Amino acid sequence: MKSIDANPFAFTFDVAKTALVIIDMQRDFIEPGGFGETLGNDVSLLAAIVPACQRTLAAWRQAGGLVVHTREAHDADLSDCPPAKLNRGNPTLRIGDAGPMGRILVKGEPGNQIIEALAPVAGEVVIDKPGKGAFYATGLHEMLRQRGITHLLFMGVTTEVCVQTSMREANDRGYDSLLLEDCTESYFPQFKASAVEMMRAQGAIVGWTATSEQLLAALHGNSTSQR
Ligand code: C5J
């Protein structure tokens, strides 16, 4: 067992029963010239977490843990995108519209791909999700159960939207989840700060938070709280 001196209290996990879930590290959200930037967002905020995500992913792969990547992605005919989602957002550039890196949030488009630095490798799971949460209308829960996964480590973007929604969905399905604080980001720093606080409040009401350095220390056996 490994243990992280997490917030609000220790998070103890077995690598064999834990998955690293990387939420929506897609080109359109993170790269300059993509959808996110076209909407006026400062994508450098999101790009800044990539090195920490890379280090964490490399260490998790080395430890032999399961890796799950998600993409927010719709079918080309948008039949999996309800009006409640389609008719919101920025009216100048909506889901399915032609953006700078192809159609926005549509499967197979260049902007919909995971950034090169975190590209999935053979054996890793890639989930295309039509919602903000990773569990809605995907087979994620069943797949994790089949593999005996009980604990989840979350990273990715954006903290208060797809990451928070996925972590709340995980919590309601009985997973113990930890958010890696330096491996998640928002276009709105105050939203990230609030989301992190919310998730670990009230005795980890949604889950735990810790830094990637704390996770790596636990994986390398350097954690003072290692059990
Ligand atoms: C994600 C979004 N991935 N903000 N999507 O958070 O619409």
Side-chain angles (χ1 to χ4, degrees), residues 24 29 72 132 157-158 161-162:
D24 301 359
F29 292 134
E72 187 172 351
K132 301 301 182 193
V157 298
T158 59
V161 185
C162 291

Side-chain angles (χ1 to χ4, degrees), residues 2 8 25 54 78 83 88 120 132 140 167 169 179 197:
K2 307 280 185 194
M25 291 297 285
Q54 270 186 299
L78 304 184
R88 309 260 194 94
K132 301 301 182 193
L140 179 58
M167 213 166 138
E169 287 182 327
L179 174 62
E197 283 294 326

